[in-house]
Structures are given as C-alpha cells and as structure tokens.
Amino acid sequence: MSLLACAALLSTVGLTGTASAHGSTINPASRNYGCWSRWGNDFQNPNMQQQDPMCWQAWQTDVNAMWNWNGLFREGVAGNHQGAIPNGQLCSGGRTENGRYRAMDTPGAWKTTALSRTFNINLMDQAHHGADYIKVYITRQGYNATTTPLSWSNLELITTTGRYAQAGNYYINNINAGSRTGRHVVYTIWQASHTDQSYYFCSDVTF
C-alpha cells in the first residue's frame, strides 16, 4: 500500500473511529483543521511549501497533528486555562500530546477566513461529548500573528456560552468583534461535558 493510501486510511479512521473522534472549530477553521481540509488528500504536494507555507511547516513537524486535527485537548485543567497553558503555547494547548501540535504555535502568515465584524462559529463535536461551556476570545487590535506567538495578554474574552447538549455541531452566533480590522486570531476553548477535557483552537481570520 502506498504512503498516500495509508494516510487516507488513517484519515478515515480518525474521522470515524469512536476512540479518536473528538472535534474542532471548522468555521472559522482552526489551524490544524484548515491544514487537513486543504491538504489531507495531497499532503505530499511540494507546491504546499509556496502556496501554504504555514501548513507546510506543520505537516513537516508532525503529520499526526494533521490526521488527528480533532484531538487537540488537555485533561484535568479544572477550568484553570491560563494556569495550564503557558504564553506562547496557546495554539497547541500547552504542547499537549507530547508536543504533537507544537507547530500550531508558530507565528506566520497562516491562511485566514474572511469575517464580518458580527460573525458565527461552527464547532464540530464528532464524538457528541457535549459542552459545559465554550469561551471565545479575539486578539486585541495591534497584535501581529505573523511575528508574535500568542499570549493571554493578546486576547480579549468576548463571550462565554452556557451548556450545549450532545450534538454533532455547536453554533455560537452573533459574536461581535467590535471595531477590529485586519488580521486577527479567534481563540476558542471548548470544555467538553463527558469528562474534564478542554479543547483549544486558534482560527486565523481577517475582519
């Protein structure tokens, strides 16, 4: 079996296997979900290095972070997100899973999703974990995601939702970005209900 065929098989297992299926923000796409959705069927294409260099470095750093785009979580945080996740490591969940997602922390010209200043988030919960809450942060005006690793001081908490019943998708609607313009990072924390499992998503956007 070719490497590409093996990768496709791994991707299918990751999408359908109960043990490995968790979730991510899919709109605006998290960094790892976006890289998987754009290149999962063509991850060996050398054109990625020029067309999508941040995804290229992510695939080169750890291919399993792409196939497991839905597994970026930590356990046992007990709501102390800022205590558990150091500055500069927010997009990797504090280098969770032995650093598997560390490339997500690398500043650079990640592909962005164009958003209006009032926007919605679609979070996919493949395993139907439910949510105790979802927190949405946006970077402050002036933060430069292309040069500066993300820190808590760069973020403003915009909204904290209530509970969500177990379902395949959760929508957080009418999020107000205020007067922000240009490139930003939307940082989403999903606190799953089935256990103390916290998910961390960096989504690059342009307002």
Side-chain angles (χ1 to χ4, degrees), residues 132-137 157-162 164 172 189:
D132 285 347
Y133 58 80
I134 299 168
K135 291 181 177 287
V136 179
Y137 299 78
L157 178 61
I158 303 299
T159 188
T160 302
T161 73
Y164 285 81
I172 306 101
I189 299 176

Side-chain angles (χ1 to χ4, degrees), residues 15 17-23 70 124-130 166-168 170 190 194 197 199:
L15 279 170
T18 302
S20 60
H22 301 289
N70 50 16
M124 180 190 293
D125 177 5
Q126 290 179 308
H128 292 227
H129 290 324
Q166 296 177 354
Y170 309 127
W190 164 32
H194 73 301
Q197 200 170 73
Y199 292 75

Side-chain angles (χ1 to χ4, degrees), residues 51-131:
Q51 297 175 10
D52 202 347
M54 298 312 297
C55 282
W56 172 262
Q57 64 88 30
W59 280 96
Q60 300 308 304
T61 299
D62 194 326
V63 68
N64 288 317
M66 305 297 103
W67 302 130
N68 293 279
W69 56 264
N70 50 16
L72 206 169
F73 65 87
R74 295 188 73 88
E75 294 184 313
V77 172
N80 185 18
H81 304 292
Q82 292 193 36
I85 311 299
N87 287 328
Q89 299 181 17
L90 276 68
C91 297
S92 68
R95 307 287 164 88
T96 190
E97 298 293 312
N98 296 315
R100 171 185 287 171
Y101 300 96
R102 62 193 180 278
M104 303 302 107
D105 292 320
T106 305
W110 293 88
K111 296 283 188 182
T112 64
T113 301
L115 298 178
S116 64
R117 290 179 184 167
T118 300
F119 66 98
N120 305 325
I121 288 177
N122 181 359
L123 193 158
M124 180 190 293
D125 177 5
Q126 290 179 308
H128 292 227
H129 290 324

Side-chain angles (χ1 to χ4, degrees), residues 9-10 26-27 46 51 68 72 89 113 121 134 148 152-153 195:
L9 178 60
L10 284 171
I26 61 173
N27 189 26
Q51 297 175 10
N68 293 279
L72 206 169
Q89 299 181 17
T113 301
I121 288 177
I134 299 168
T148 308
W152 289 104
S153 61
T195 185

Side-chain angles (χ1 to χ4, degrees), residues 174-195:
N174 299 316
I175 301 167
N176 188 347
S179 60
R180 289 172 174 83
T181 58
R183 176 186 285 273
H184 281 272
V185 175
V186 175
Y187 189 62
T188 307
I189 299 176
W190 164 32
Q191 182 63 46
S193 294
H194 73 301
T195 185

